[in-house]
């Protein structure tokens, strides 16, 4: 519980920090004319929203299962990870378009305003990254952490770009920095987006069904294992169901087979098992079995 409380406290602190920096960078970007600084402010705003969503997803995920949500609320964190990563993709594409426009129509940039604001933004983002670094394991927090990490790199790039503009007068470096930042964010966001979509679409986790079939059929009295389904409700737990064709036996013997199947499936990382036993219903030995 203490670990969860510390994470929620860090999330709230990071939200306040990023909202403050968003306002500062919007003002600084407008006054200085820096697209890179404005892009950084958009990242900070999306950081704030993603952190806020992650906070509420954590709170919701702690609620117990009930008659309506029999699996509980863990998938709320996957939904937030999906939204966070999708927003990152959208922002990155928008910034690429804006960078193209800025390449075509360069604008003067006031680095006296741009640089100090970017430095403060870097410090704020770096502090938020450090606060969440130890918690960036699940998809939900990892998606928010990626927001913060990308914004930290963005701040570094903005500062480097500002220095080059100030001392060498290369104004085109501002949209170029924006392009590199956006491409990096796109790559990182895609990984989280793909995995969250797989969970939401109930795609099978990476399991060796043939190995599982062989393992189950090695249980004494089991003639065939088929009708496999595997999915994830949240990020970690793997649910699995199957049918086992067995010899005619007493109910007490049947329970022994179910217990043994659950025990053996644990080695594959499966956390929740549903087994249906059958007698003389399967005409083949395939995974998908035709009834006799």
């Amino acid at each position: 519980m203490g670990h969860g409380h510390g994470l929620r406290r860090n999330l709230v602190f990071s939200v306040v920090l990023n909202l403050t920096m968003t306002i500062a960078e919007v003002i600084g970007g407008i006054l200085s004319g820096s697209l890179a600084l404005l892009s950084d402010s958009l990242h900070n705003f999306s950081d704030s929203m993603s952190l806020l969503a992650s906070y509420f997803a954590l709170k919701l995920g702690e609620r117990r299962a009930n008659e309506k949500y029999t699996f509980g609320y863990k998938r709320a964190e996957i939904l937030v990870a999906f939204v966070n990563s999708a927003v990152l993709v959208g922002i990155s594409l928008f910034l690429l378009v804006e960078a193209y426009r800025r390449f075509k129509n360069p604008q003067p940039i006031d680095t006296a305003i741009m640089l100090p604001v970017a430095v403060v933004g870097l410090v704020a983002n770096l502090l938020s990254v450090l606060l969440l670094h130890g918690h960036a394991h699940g998809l939900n927090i990892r998606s928010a952490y990626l927001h913060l990490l990308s914004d930290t790199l963005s701040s570094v790039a903005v500062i480097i770009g500002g220095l080059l503009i100030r001392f060498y007068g290369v104004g085109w470096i501002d949209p170029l920095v924006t392009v590199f930042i956006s491409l990096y964010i796109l790559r990182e966001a895609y990984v989280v987006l793909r995995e969250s979509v797989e969970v939401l679409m109930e795609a099978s986790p990476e399991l060796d069904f043939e190995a599982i079939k062989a393992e189950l059929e090695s249980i004494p009295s089991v003639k065939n294992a088929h009708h496999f389904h595997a999915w994830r409700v949240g990020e970690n737990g793997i649910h699995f169901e199957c049918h086992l064709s067995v010899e005619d036996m007493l109910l007490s013997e049947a329970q022994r087979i179910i217990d043994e199947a659950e025990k053996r499936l644990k080695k594959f990382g499966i956390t929740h098992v549903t087994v249906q036993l059958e007698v003389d219903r399967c005409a083949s030995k395939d995974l998908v079995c035709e009834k006799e």
Side-chain angles (χ1 to χ4, degrees), residues 78 80-82 84-86 88 138-140 142-144 146 187-198:
I78 306 300
V80 167
F82 170 78
N84 281 345
S85 52
L88 272 176
L139 276 179
N140 174 30
R142 182 149 57 97
S143 65
L146 279 176
R187 184 176 68 89
E188 294 298 316
Y190 170 75
V191 175
V192 177
L193 185 63
R194 181 187 62 191
E195 189 171 351
S196 59
V197 167
E198 286 179 354

Side-chain angles (χ1 to χ4, degrees), residues 118-174:
V119 170
V120 175
L122 173 61
V123 173
N125 285 319
L126 190 58
L127 181 58
S128 296
V129 165
L130 292 174
L131 285 171
L132 293 185
H133 178 71
H135 306 284
H137 308 300
L139 276 179
N140 174 30
I141 302 302
R142 182 149 57 97
S143 65
Y145 178 77
L146 279 176
H147 271 267
L148 293 170
L149 182 61
S150 65
D151 221 9
T152 302
L153 295 173
S154 174
S155 294
V156 172
V158 169
I159 292 171
I160 293 172
L163 291 171
L164 291 173
I165 293 168
R166 183 176 183 86
F167 294 107
Y168 298 99
V170 284
W172 50 264
I173 202 73
D174 187 66

Side-chain angles (χ1 to χ4, degrees), residues 228-244:
F228 287 6
H229 291 286
W231 70 99
R232 289 181 291 176
V233 173
E235 184 184 359
N236 298 316
I238 297 177
H239 289 238
F240 180 85
E241 69 173 28
C242 70
H243 291 188
L244 297 182

Side-chain angles (χ1 to χ4, degrees), residues 22 35-50 82-100 143 146-148 150-151 154 177-187 189-190 193:
T22 296
L35 176 63
L37 197 56
L38 281 172
S39 72
D40 207 32
S41 72
L42 280 176
H43 291 161
N44 267 314
F45 180 71
S46 68
D47 289 346
S48 304
M49 295 302 100
S50 68
F82 170 78
V83 172
N84 281 345
S85 52
V87 167
L88 272 176
V89 170
I91 289 175
S92 299
L93 294 175
F94 168 76
L95 291 174
L96 286 171
V97 172
E98 288 301 306
Y100 171 74
S143 65
L146 279 176
H147 271 267
L148 293 170
S150 65
D151 221 9
S154 174
V177 164
T178 304
V179 168
F180 282 122
I181 293 170
S182 299
L183 291 176
Y184 171 78
I185 296 170
L186 270 175
R187 184 176 68 89
Y190 170 75
L193 185 63

